[in-house]
Amino acid sequence: ELRAGTYDAGKHKARSFVKFIGLLDNGGSGQDIVSATFKLRNWYSGSCASSTIRISRIAQTWTVGDLTWGNQPTVTSTGSSTFSQAFGYSASCDAGGNQAAWDATAIVQAWANGSANYGIRVAADNEASNATWRKYRSSEHSNTDTRPRMAVTYNSYPSTATAPAPAGAVTNGGVKYVNKKTFNVSSVVKDPDGGAVKGLFNVSGPAGSWSNLAGTAVSSGGTSVRSYTLNTDGTYTTTVRAPKTPLG
């Protein structure tokens, strides 16, 4: 089982260290973490009193066999999160135990951004208060539904859109020429998660400048198209990108 806090005013103190193997072990690859919730089944508490239990991102490697009170991995306060409610002491606070849940969005985002995933430390803020005493189910418990969980909602950043291609253009000296004032420009856009995506087109030149002109919404790998109407002749520059947020 996992434990946190104290039951005898700090004479004995407990902290727990948890790592989800395979969760961004090698750093992220461009995920935007929309939300992440770290959940532990709190099956026993020393009382029904609320007391702050904090999760913190571990900042160095560790192994279970090497853990002692005098040999703990360091943690960073950046992105730490707290949960205070106690479960499992009596019927007044759910004798059957319940889920303790921490907002771990900032921690998982740090992993997605490239920080090494060394796991999470669970510890009481006030390790001299008996109100902090908690026992949680571990990954070794026979009931898989009560084991530690990390629920993550994420959005992968779309791949780089292909260069915008004006329909009917003729290339001369590396410059594309179009002899129409109204014409379509297209780009292939991809979403690593396989969702719908669209191009956002920018254009600037003698007639003015426009940004984030929405192209057609397409499935990942499809061609997004935007119509331009440019009433002034001249040289224009156009670019395109795929938006980070998936389409509804």
Side-chain angles (χ1 to χ4, degrees):
E1 67 185 16
L2 304 174
R3 300 179 180 183
T6 182
Y7 56 85
D8 57 4
K11 294 178 183 178
H12 295 86
K13 295 178 284 189
R15 297 173 181 173
S16 292
F17 299 82
V18 179
K19 182 178 180 183
F20 292 91
I21 306 298
L23 177 62
L24 297 172
D25 281 340
N26 299 315
S29 55
Q31 298 91 351
D32 172 35
I33 306 303
V34 179
S35 67
T37 305
F38 176 58
K39 300 178 180 180
L40 292 177
R41 182 59 62 90
N42 178 198
W43 71 272
Y44 178 77
S45 298
S47 71
C48 287
S50 295
S51 189
T52 303
I53 308 296
R54 183 179 299 275
I55 62 168
S56 302
R57 179 164 56 89
I58 300 174
Q60 64 181 125
T61 188
W62 57 280
T63 63
V64 173
D66 291 335
L67 276 178
T68 64
W69 190 261
N71 184 36
Q72 300 180 46
T74 58
V75 300
T76 176
S77 60
T78 302
S80 69
S81 178
T82 62
F83 185 85
S84 299
Q85 191 172 355
F87 299 114
Y89 177 71
S90 69
S92 298
C93 52
D94 187 3
N98 211 328
Q99 291 280 23
W102 291 263
D103 181 359
T105 305
I107 290 176
V108 179
Q109 185 66 69
W111 295 338
N113 289 345
S115 294
N117 173 12
Y118 296 125
I120 287 173
R121 187 188 74 179
V122 185
D125 270 6
N126 182 359
E127 294 183 319
S129 169
N130 289 353
T132 62
W133 187 234
R134 304 283 192 275
K135 293 183 180 181
Y136 307 102
R137 299 301 188 194
S138 73
S139 61
E140 298 172 343
H141 196 267
S142 59
N143 184 348
T144 58
D145 291 338
T146 68
R147 294 176 181 176
R149 295 177 180 273
M150 181 72 80
V152 179
T153 300
Y154 71 93
N155 175 38
S156 296
Y157 291 88
S159 305
T160 302
T162 61
V170 176
T171 301
N172 186 356
V175 178
K176 291 182 171 64
Y177 293 88
V178 178
N179 60 1
K180 297 180 180 179
K181 295 184 182 297
T182 298
F183 56 94
N184 290 335
V185 178
S186 62
S187 173
V188 176
V189 289
K190 297 181 180 180
D191 178 6
D193 298 327
V197 67
K198 62 183 176 182
L200 293 182
F201 294 81
N202 305 317
V203 60
S204 61
S209 297
W210 298 267
S211 299
N212 296 327
L213 301 174
T216 54
V218 294
S219 299
S220 179
T223 300
S224 182
V225 179
R226 173 72 194 194
S227 177
Y228 287 1
T229 297
L230 303 174
N231 291 317
T232 303
D233 293 344
T235 301
Y236 291 82
T237 299
T238 183
T239 60
V240 62
R241 65 181 180 87
K244 179 182 73 172
T245 305
L247 301 177

